Amino acid sequence: MSQPPVRSSGKTTSLSRIIMVSSAGSAIEWFDFFIYGTAAALVFNKLFFPASDPLVGTLLAFMTFAIGFVARPVGGIVFGHFGDRVGRKPALVSALFLMGGSTALIGLLPTYDAIGVAAPVLLVVLRLLQGIAVGGQWGGAVLIATENAPRGRRGLYGSFAQLGVPAGLMLSSLVFLVITSTLDDRQFTAWGWRVPFLCSIALIVVALFAQFKLEETEDSRQARQEREASGAAEGSRSPVVEVLRRHPRNVLLAAGAVVVIGAGFYLFVTYMLSYGTTVLGMPKSTLLNAVLVGAALQVPALMGFGALSDRVGRRAVYLVGAAGMGLWAYPAFLLLNTERWPLVTLALVVGQLLFAAMYGPQAAFFSELFSARVRYSGASLGYQLGVMLGGAFTPIIATWLYAKYESFVPVAGFLVAAAAVSCLCVLVLSETYQDEDEDEDDDDNVAAAEDAESGGNVRPLTAR
């Protein structure tokens, strides 16, 4: 895939804005998404499902957490279509507005005691909107960064958009840490949990900045022109339909590669927070501090692994993270069970660094799997399907496994299985990091020829 050369001085300011918006927008949006997971583990089971026993209440709270993941592929489809047909910038800005508004409304939502069953129903609706927004935002932030990256640095620039995960996690953990440290349990339950959700109004400011300061990517402009020039029949085809017709193999393999990312991240961040507080009886602050340290270390790790993938390839770096995540599952629980802060921190930090080894190069890896005209749809759909499969039900499955077997071993085995699936999918995918030396038009011609011969099972931007 052809990328623009290193930007001239006239474009430096624009590129810095692109990096800032993709990083800051992702950080605040993921902050919004993570505070829901933290609240689900700490307080939603009491405020929105009080009629249930503690275990059932926790499971129901995690079910609403999972609904956000189920909605993410919908967001990938809707915003993918919008992003491929209209442009990356308007799709990204719309997703940011949706996320900021829905999260702020959660902070204003009455509890079960105030409005009864309507409270959890409204919570589910707003969680669905959160999921749709995240499903649309990721593709926009990633493509804004990678499609404007200088030659040979797409992995590094793609990692800037990925910084939203640790930055958002760090912000959410820090906010909850401060609130839980300064308020007693009664105050936190009464109103303290609402403060992080109301802070999401800041995302609307980022969206406004992006609307007025961002430029559309050259790849997006060219793809739109090609679509318009290809004729009415070709131009009217949905990008989602087109990517599923031409690149179904890459969509499915990308989804499989992400399974361990979803399972591993939410096991180490969301489930272990619940496991540590409810099973082991550890203080919330101990676990939140450990998560905070891991999130801080993820920031340089993501950039380092992204840059490394520009040198040695996406697959090699990704495989190290996926295999390592599976191997670390059992030792991590052993360390957590010691209830000693240094060892608990080590367990969570290593898990998050292994996540960074996959997530750092992932943005460039997935964007390189699809041609520009369907890239938003293809990358978003593959990623969101995989995160839904791997992340949506991980806290629920882990909670159920521990309740049934009263042991962490089956929970660790679940992560090992997810890692095996992802390793296999990454091995089947071809390496992509050197494809920027190829000509985009030649690549599309080859893709079209392969499409005619293989009936849609093509890989347009993989090494040949």
Side-chain angles (χ1 to χ4, degrees), residues 2 30 61 72 88 123 163 174 179 249 252 281 292 340 342 346 355 369 388 436:
S2 176
W30 281 106
R72 284 169 64 164
R88 319 305 193 208
L123 184 65
L163 293 179
L174 183 61
I179 291 175
R249 182 176 184 272
L252 293 176
L292 191 61
R340 298 172 59 186
L346 178 63
F355 165 83
L369 293 173
M388 180 189 72
E436 66 183 352

Side-chain angles (χ1 to χ4, degrees), residues 397-420:
I397 293 172
T399 301
W400 176 80
L401 286 172
Y402 188 86
K404 181 175 178 62
Y405 297 102
E406 297 184 351
S407 170
F408 67 85
V409 175
V411 180
F414 168 73
L415 185 56
V416 171

Side-chain angles (χ1 to χ4, degrees), residues 69-88 91 95 131-140 227 237-244 251 373-386 388:
F69 287 88
V70 175
R72 284 169 64 164
V74 177
I77 292 171
V78 173
F79 286 96
H81 177 92
F82 191 29
D84 284 326
R85 295 297 294 267
V86 179
R88 319 305 193 208
I132 291 172
V134 168
Q137 177 272 341
W138 181 84
R227 186 180 295 277
R237 181 183 298 147
S238 166
V240 175
V241 173
E242 185 175 349
V243 78
L244 291 175
V251 171
R373 60 186 291 147
V374 295
R375 188 171 296 143
Y376 203 128
S377 297
S380 295
L381 191 57
Y383 175 62
Q384 303 303 343
L385 282 173
M388 180 189 72

Side-chain angles (χ1 to χ4, degrees), residues 144-219:
I144 286 288
T146 58
E147 290 185 348
N148 285 282
R151 184 178 297 277
R153 303 185 71 185
R154 206 158 47 219
L156 174 61
Y157 276 64
S159 71
F160 293 141
Q162 307 290 68
L163 293 179
V165 171
L169 176 60
M170 193 160 43
L171 286 171
S172 65
S173 298
L174 183 61
V175 168
F176 270 103
L177 182 63
V178 170
I179 291 175
T180 55
S181 299
T182 56
L183 302 179
D184 58 34
D185 288 342
R186 183 186 62 80
Q187 292 172 320
F188 177 74
T189 302
W191 59 269
W193 67 272
R194 298 180 182 275
V195 175
F197 289 92
L198 296 175
C199 289
S200 66
I201 295 173
L203 190 59
I204 297 176
V205 177
V206 175
L208 289 171
F209 179 87
Q211 174 64 32
F212 292 109
K213 297 296 184 180
L214 275 188
E215 302 171 4
E216 189 55 83
T217 72
E218 184 61 28
D219 282 4

